[in-house]
Amino acid sequence: MSLRSKVVLTIVLLGLFLTSALVLLSLNQIEKEKSEALIDKSRAILSRLESVRNYVAEQGRLQDTIGDVIKNFPDGVISKDARIDVLKQVPIFAAMRVGAENATSENYRFRIISEEPRKKENLANREENEILEFFKKNPKVGEYRISNPKYVAVFRPVYLSEKQGCLNCHGDPAKSPWGNGKDILGYKMENWKDGKLHGAFGIISDLNLTAVQEAKQERVMDILLWAFSITGTFLIAAYYFLHSPLKSLSHVTSELDSAGNKIANVTGDISHNSGNLNTSTRESVEALETSSLILDELVKNMRNSLKMTEATLEVSRRNREDAEQGYKDFLVLLETIDKIKIQSNRIHEIVVVLDEIAFQTNLLSLNASVVAARAGGEDGKSFSVVAEEVRKLSQRSLVSSKEIAKLINGSVELASDGHKLASQSGKSLAEIVKVVEKNEYLNRDIAHTNRTQLDSAANLLSHLSRVKELSGGNYQFANESSLIAIQLSDQTKKLSELVHVLRFNIKGEKKERSPREGTLEEITES
């Protein structure tokens, strides 16, 4: 079989495969679109029911109608027409009626579910109770969908609304219009509150309805028609576009022989250039090796310098801490000197008072001696002796107080001088602390600069190592290129033999082989 026949057969099989795949994918897409379309339709119907409910509520005629019924039927027995008039003004009833009336014409089932319905047919079954429980647990979710191979269903919750008049029938029994706990229609009022989940409206669409199946069959027929049309067009176009290339391919085989001779000449040039590249690459590798060693030694020196800088920084930090602590201790000493000065002044004041007391005592003793001399007798003499002793004691006290005052004055002067010297020392110590802090900051900047330089040098060394690896790879590649050039010359000789095999595969004509010719597999294996 010729290559042309093989290509045509392959295209036909490929077209059939693509057509089958397209049909299967289209059928799957139809099923998805059918379900999505029915869900969108159900949503639209439920939105229409909500609009009907809101519209009837906005009319606000429910209260007036209830008032008219109470007025016309005071005994509570209302007619059928009156009941219908009341129900027409109930928003939920109006929505239920619209949903049920259009169900047959629009091919869906309208379902009302509730846990406590007034009609038994609206009592929720086990699966429907799960839907109601879902709405109770998720009050902010406004929709529940069911999709399976048989049907799709969309449910939306129905909540009681005092604004729409729902509590007129389901609210507090004490507000019964008849005063008997029953609503206007005679049903028992449940005492429910505003916002209570009353139930849910559901739109159920059967996927197996005749109308749905007919629409599906029409889509399938359209898809098949388009698929076969596209496949036929593809086959015709493929034949048209491949006819000329296959013809040109036969001409290409003859050109390959000429190309083989040119390749042989090129391989010689490649071998020569590979030798030159090998030499230059080897020299580059040696230069990179030397540079790498020098840079590695530089990085080691920079690491040692960084360690020394960090040690100096640590010493500076400790010196700063010691200087700061010494300054704090000096401030405490200065404060103590101030306290000594204050206490010395206080003692001086006390000594002055004692001196004054001694002086007054001396005066009093002199006066006592004078009085004793005037009195005469033994009593006066004894009193004069005592007065004399008191005067001596007062004089001694006066002398002592003066000596103490002199010593205290000397201490005060020394304390003042010490305070001045301490203040000057404090200023000097503060300057020392500043110098130590500045020294620490400078050492920290030096350490940061050294660290940055070390990182840069390490990155440079890493990149240089990478360049060295690449250069080594280039050197190896140059050696391999020389070997490949030799192998390429041998492969050129086999190329002419492959050309004969290719011509046989293209035209499908058997031809006797020369001793050097062989099949494609035999030549490839060699």
Side-chain angles (χ1 to χ4, degrees), residues 42 57 109 151 191 267-268 270 318 324 330 415 466 503 520:
S42 301
R109 285 186 291 129
Y151 66 89
N191 195 23
T267 53
I270 292 174
R318 293 178 179 176
E324 290 176 349
F330 173 77
R466 179 59 179 166
R503 181 179 298 166
L520 180 62

Side-chain angles (χ1 to χ4, degrees), residues 297-446:
E297 186 66 25
L298 177 62
V299 169
K300 291 180 180 178
N301 294 333
M302 293 180 70
R303 285 198 180 98
N304 294 331
S305 177
L306 178 60
K307 291 179 180 179
M308 295 175 64
T309 303
E310 290 176 346
T312 303
L313 178 61
E314 179 64 20
V315 173
S316 299
R317 184 185 63 78
R318 293 178 179 176
N319 290 338
R320 177 182 58 79
E321 292 177 352
D322 293 340
E324 290 176 349
Q325 184 62 40
Y327 184 67
K328 292 179 182 179
D329 294 340
F330 173 77
L331 293 177
V332 174
L333 175 62
L334 187 61
E335 183 179 358
T336 303
I337 293 174
D338 290 337
K339 291 180 180 179
I340 293 172
K341 182 179 178 181
I342 293 171
Q343 294 295 330
S344 297
N345 291 329
R346 180 60 179 163
I347 294 172
H348 180 265
E349 292 175 358
I350 294 171
V351 170
V352 171
V353 173
L354 293 174
D355 189 18
E356 184 66 24
I357 292 171
F359 179 74
Q360 293 296 331
T361 303
N362 188 30
L363 290 178
L364 289 175
S365 64
L366 289 174
N367 291 332
S369 297
V370 173
V371 173
R374 288 178 182 176
E378 292 295 329
D379 295 333
K381 188 178 181 180
S382 300
F383 186 75
S384 177
V385 172
V386 173
E388 182 63 22
E389 293 297 326
V390 170
R391 187 177 65 81
K392 291 179 179 180
L393 290 173
S394 64
Q395 288 178 350
R396 291 173 62 187
S397 297
L398 181 60
V399 172
S400 299
S401 63
K402 288 181 179 181
E403 292 178 355
I404 292 171
K406 184 177 180 181
L407 293 174
I408 293 300
N409 288 332
S411 299
V412 170
E413 291 177 358
L414 291 175
S416 298
D417 294 339
H419 186 271
K420 292 179 181 179
L421 292 174
S423 298
Q424 294 177 358
S425 299
K427 294 179 180 179
S428 300
L429 188 59
E431 292 296 327
I432 292 173
V433 172
K434 292 180 180 179
V435 171
V436 171
E437 289 179 347
K438 185 176 181 180
N439 185 40
E440 182 187 3
Y441 294 152
L442 291 175
N443 286 331
R444 185 180 294 109
D445 292 339
I446 293 172

Side-chain angles (χ1 to χ4, degrees), residues 83-372:
R83 294 173 64 89
I84 293 175
D85 289 339
V86 173
L87 290 174
K88 286 181 179 179
Q89 305 307 321
V90 177
I92 292 181
F93 179 79
M96 293 166 55
R97 186 173 180 180
V98 171
E101 286 180 351
N102 299 328
T104 303
S105 60
E106 297 186 12
N107 298 316
Y108 68 84
R109 285 186 291 129
F110 180 61
R111 177 66 175 147
I112 305 168
I113 60 174
S114 177
E115 293 179 341
E116 302 175 76
R118 288 183 172 179
K119 291 185 177 182
K120 293 183 178 180
E121 61 265 22
N122 294 333
L123 180 64
N125 56 31
R126 183 177 61 81
E127 295 180 353
E128 293 169 342
N129 278 325
E130 293 178 357
I131 298 174
L132 296 176
E133 287 297 325
F134 172 80
F135 286 132
K136 288 180 181 178
K137 294 179 180 179
N138 304 276
K140 293 184 180 181
V141 179
E143 183 177 284
Y144 186 91
R145 291 189 300 173
I146 301 175
S147 181
N148 56 46
K150 294 183 179 180
Y151 66 89
V152 293
V154 179
F155 286 86
R156 287 186 181 177
V158 177
Y159 297 97
L160 294 182
S161 173
E162 183 178 6
K163 184 178 179 181
Q164 294 185 354
C166 296
L167 300 187
N168 288 323
C169 297
H170 302 283
D172 189 359
K175 297 180 180 180
S176 170
W178 307 113
N180 57 359
K182 295 183 179 180
D183 63 7
I184 190 65
L185 300 178
Y187 293 102
K188 182 179 178 181
M189 299 178 70
E190 296 91 343
N191 195 23
W192 290 343
K193 305 299 180 183
D194 182 37
K196 180 186 183 305
L197 179 64
H198 185 30
F201 287 166
I203 303 298
I204 304 172
S205 302
D206 191 353
L207 295 176
N208 295 320
L209 289 176
T210 303
V212 177
Q213 293 298 326
E214 290 178 353
K216 177 181 176 180
Q217 291 177 0
E218 291 179 0
R219 291 287 301 276
V220 172
M221 294 303 297
D222 291 340
I223 291 172
L224 289 175
L225 179 61
W226 277 102
F228 284 116
S229 299
I230 293 172
T231 302
T233 304
F234 174 74
L235 292 176
I236 294 173
Y239 178 80
Y240 175 78
F241 286 111
L242 291 177
H243 176 71
S244 178
L246 290 174
K247 184 177 180 180
S248 300
L249 190 60
S250 299
H251 176 70
V252 169
T253 55
S254 60
E255 295 293 332
L256 288 176
D257 288 330
S258 175
N261 295 328
K262 295 179 180 179
I263 291 173
N265 295 329
V266 171
T267 53
D269 295 336
I270 292 174
S271 179
H272 176 72
N273 293 332
S274 297
N276 295 334
L277 177 62
N278 189 8
T279 301
S280 60
T281 304
R282 183 178 64 256
E283 294 175 354
S284 298
V285 171
E286 293 175 353
L288 287 172
E289 184 68 26
T290 303
S291 300
S292 178
L293 293 175
I294 295 172
L295 185 59
D296 184 57
E297 186 66 25
L298 177 62
V299 169
K300 291 180 180 178
N301 294 333
M302 293 180 70
R303 285 198 180 98
N304 294 331
S305 177
L306 178 60
K307 291 179 180 179
M308 295 175 64
T309 303
E310 290 176 346
T312 303
L313 178 61
E314 179 64 20
V315 173
S316 299
R317 184 185 63 78
R318 293 178 179 176
N319 290 338
R320 177 182 58 79
E321 292 177 352
D322 293 340
E324 290 176 349
Q325 184 62 40
Y327 184 67
K328 292 179 182 179
D329 294 340
F330 173 77
L331 293 177
V332 174
L333 175 62
L334 187 61
E335 183 179 358
T336 303
I337 293 174
D338 290 337
K339 291 180 180 179
I340 293 172
K341 182 179 178 181
I342 293 171
Q343 294 295 330
S344 297
N345 291 329
R346 180 60 179 163
I347 294 172
H348 180 265
E349 292 175 358
I350 294 171
V351 170
V352 171
V353 173
L354 293 174
D355 189 18
E356 184 66 24
I357 292 171
F359 179 74
Q360 293 296 331
T361 303
N362 188 30
L363 290 178
L364 289 175
S365 64
L366 289 174
N367 291 332
S369 297
V370 173
V371 173

Side-chain angles (χ1 to χ4, degrees), residues 267 270 477 479-490:
T267 53
I270 292 174
F477 175 74
N479 290 331
E480 293 177 353
S481 297
S482 300
L483 296 176
I484 292 173
I486 297 173
Q487 295 176 359
L488 184 60
S489 178
D490 295 335

